[in-house]
Every structure is written in structure tokens, then in C-alpha cells.
Amino acid sequence: MDKIRGHFQELARHEIATAETNLQGFSAESIGGFRPSIQLLTKQKQALAWIESRGRSGVVALDTGVGKPALAIAAIQKLKRDGVGAEDGNGRYLYVCPSALRGNLAKEAHIFLDDPKAFIEAVDVMSFKQFTDARGKDPNFGRDYIAIFFDEAQALKNPASQQAKAAMGLDHPRKILLTASPMERSPMEVFSLAAISNIVNLNTREGRREMNAFRARFAEEVGGRIIGMKDDPVTARDLRVWVKRNLYFADKRAVEELNMKQLTKRTDTVTMAPRVEAVSRETAAGISGILSGLVSKYRALKVDT
């Protein structure tokens, strides 16, 4: 019962944190240090509140253009304002990103902050390779930082890669992953990113057990390949709950301040030339025959097991 209560209390905490009435403390003015003309987007404030509701960790997926560097700057500024980790470690922040983007944080700091120099001096910026090499030389590297940010975190989606192992093996309570693409091919990519923020090493026996349980619970597989998510209502509901606990996502079209038009569905008829249509029908018939055989075989295997 304690576990169930804790589960629902956590969900409620995330829900309450991102409510509009609770976002006042996450504005640029409230956080402090920003230029007077700077205003954070509502989705950025919600992301900051969600991160804080999870103990200042988690996966934040902001659509391209919603502002991941600005979010990282605001998160660091708020950590400094609140004195989080001020008495522990080296008093600095670590920002890990692709090598080509190493200069972005400093550039954004000059745009957003009154005193960008003080901010830049408190943050160590590394490429994923530099971070991986540093962790290889010193297993304790990274633990002294107040918080660690991984930008373009989709680079860590493969738990077997060296850079993902370096991030997963780092036992730190405040790991914040920023990405615009939390899932490109498989839902297991989202699970891998969440594991990093939750300090779950998927390269251990316990971690692999958790990963296999998630895959069996939510993934639809054919021939050992994930083809999508299970669509029965109970499983879909449970997946939404898992996502709410482990991922904050903001679609660009849902950002009020950008006022973008919503997508509309439209059906257009395409007329093919007779020769193209003949080839298309022949190819479609061949594919249909192959798929019918696969489905029949899969059903037979499922009945046998």
C-alpha cells in the first residue's frame, strides 16, 4: 500500500507542478539573472517545474525551436538561486553535448543573461567523447558536479555504446537529458534515456531484467523485431503513465506563444500513368503474399506457445 500511495503521490506531484498557477516561480524574472526583455515560454517553465518535481532529474524532449539551451541556462540559474548542492562537490555544472555544439551554450548565455561571464565560468562544457574518455580514466568523474546536462541526448539511446555506458555508470542524483528526438526507431530508446536519469544501469543483470520487462509489457514484436506499441487500452494507459513519470515532451505546435497552426488531415487522389500503375499493383500483390505468409506463421507460433 505504501508503494501504491507513493506512485500516485509522485504522479500528482508532477501534475500539480506543471499547472499554470504553480509556474510563477519559474519565470525568467523570478529565477533572476536574465535580461529584462527575456521571457521563458510556458512549455519551458513547465519543463523546469517537472524537472524539479522529480528531484531535478529527468528526460526533457523539446521540439526543435522550443529552446533546449535556454532551458538548460534557466535550470542552472535556478539551481544557483536555490542553493542546490552549494555545499557539496566542486560547485560547478557539467554540460555534455556533440562536439559541433560546444559553443552554443556560451552564445545563448550572452543572449539571455545579464552577466554571461559569471555563468560561463561556472559551467564545464564537454563533448560526448571527452566525457566518455574522462569517465574511462576516472570512474568517479562527474560525481562532484552540482548537476549534469546531456544535450542532444539521443546520442545515448544505445545502452551498449561507450558514451551511454559512461552516462549510465555515473551515480548522480541530478542528471538532466535534453533532446528533440526521444524516440526515432524504437520505444526502447526512450527507456534507455530514462534509465540514465533514473540511475539504472542497463548493462547490469538487474538493468537488463528491467529493460526486458518493459519490452515484454509494452512492445509489439514480430520475429524478434519491435514493430510498435501494444494497443490494448490497459497497456496504452499504463504506457502513458510511465511516460508522464519519466519524460516531459513539448510539441512546437502546442507552444502557445508561437501560435502555430495545427496540422489538418486531407486526402488527395493521385493518378498514376498506366505503366506505373501496373508495376505498382504487381509489387503490392507480391508484398501482400509475403505478409500473408508471415502472419500465418506468426499466428501458428503464437498458438503453439
Side-chain angles (χ1 to χ4, degrees):
M1 288 302 298
D2 287 342
K3 188 172 183 179
I4 292 172
R5 287 193 202 97
H7 168 77
F8 285 104
Q9 285 172 359
E10 181 183 352
L11 290 178
R13 189 165 61 249
H14 302 335
E15 196 74 34
I16 293 169
T18 55
E20 186 176 353
T21 54
N22 297 315
L23 297 181
Q24 295 179 358
F26 298 91
S27 66
E29 182 180 7
S30 176
I31 292 172
F34 286 88
R35 297 183 186 276
S37 60
I38 298 300
Q39 297 292 326
L40 294 176
L41 300 174
T42 300
K43 291 298 183 182
Q44 290 173 323
K45 290 186 283 188
Q46 286 180 346
L48 289 169
W50 181 85
I51 291 170
E52 193 162 297
S53 74
R54 293 190 81 254
R56 299 176 175 87
S57 70
V59 182
V60 177
L62 299 184
D63 208 352
T64 302
V66 181
K68 294 189 298 296
L71 177 71
I73 290 170
I76 291 172
Q77 286 291 103
K78 193 168 191 306
L79 286 166
K80 290 168 67 176
R81 189 201 75 177
D82 295 346
V84 176
E87 299 178 357
D88 302 326
N90 59 13
R92 301 180 62 77
Y93 305 86
L94 179 61
Y95 186 84
V96 184
C97 63
S99 181
L101 303 180
R102 286 185 59 196
N104 277 13
L105 191 68
K107 182 175 70 175
E108 296 288 327
H110 279 91
I111 295 172
F112 288 102
L113 299 177
D114 276 330
D115 186 4
K117 184 178 179 182
F119 174 87
I120 293 168
E121 289 177 349
V123 182
D124 291 333
V125 179
M126 287 186 167
S127 68
F128 283 106
K129 184 179 185 309
Q130 289 174 321
F131 172 76
T132 302
D133 291 344
R135 290 277 301 152
K137 294 175 183 177
D138 179 7
N140 292 317
F141 176 80
R143 292 184 180 178
D144 289 341
Y145 286 95
I146 293 174
I148 301 169
F149 295 79
F150 296 97
D151 195 9
E152 301 297 334
Q154 65 271 15
L156 305 173
K157 64 185 181 182
N158 179 6
S161 69
Q162 291 303 312
Q163 53 199 29
K165 287 180 178 179
M168 282 183 183
L170 174 56
D171 186 359
H172 196 290
R174 293 181 287 274
K175 292 192 283 188
I176 299 168
L177 287 76
L178 307 173
T179 178
S181 308
M183 185 176 74
E184 296 174 324
R185 296 185 179 181
S186 164
M188 301 311 298
E189 296 170 0
V190 183
F191 184 81
S192 296
L193 298 183
I196 293 173
S197 68
N198 293 333
I199 320 178
V200 176
N201 192 338
L202 299 182
N203 296 293
T204 64
R205 181 179 297 178
E206 294 77 10
R208 285 191 291 271
R209 187 181 299 120
E210 277 196 42
M211 182 166 59
N212 291 335
F214 179 89
R215 181 168 180 160
R217 179 74 180 92
F218 298 113
E220 190 70 67
E221 298 185 59
V222 173
R225 287 183 177 272
I226 297 176
I227 60 170
M229 306 304 292
K230 293 179 179 177
D231 59 359
D232 69 271
V234 174
T235 303
R237 180 205 62 199
D238 290 349
L239 181 60
R240 287 194 296 271
V241 171
W242 183 90
V243 169
K244 184 174 288 189
R245 294 180 65 186
N246 292 279
L247 174 74
Y248 178 87
F249 174 72
D251 189 313
K252 188 187 298 184
R253 294 186 301 274
V255 178
E256 301 170 7
E257 293 84 351
L258 297 182
N259 196 27
M260 296 182 69
K261 292 182 179 180
Q262 295 296 312
L263 296 178
T264 57
K265 292 182 179 181
R266 187 180 72 186
T267 302
D268 290 332
T269 302
V270 179
T271 303
M272 295 183 182
R275 289 179 61 187
V276 176
E277 183 180 359
V279 173
S280 176
R281 289 184 180 280
E282 181 182 354
T283 304
I287 293 173
S288 177
I290 294 170
L291 290 178
S292 296
L294 286 173
V295 170
S296 298
K297 185 173 182 179
Y298 177 67
R299 283 176 177 163
L301 289 171
K302 195 169 184 180
V303 169
D304 291 342
T305 55

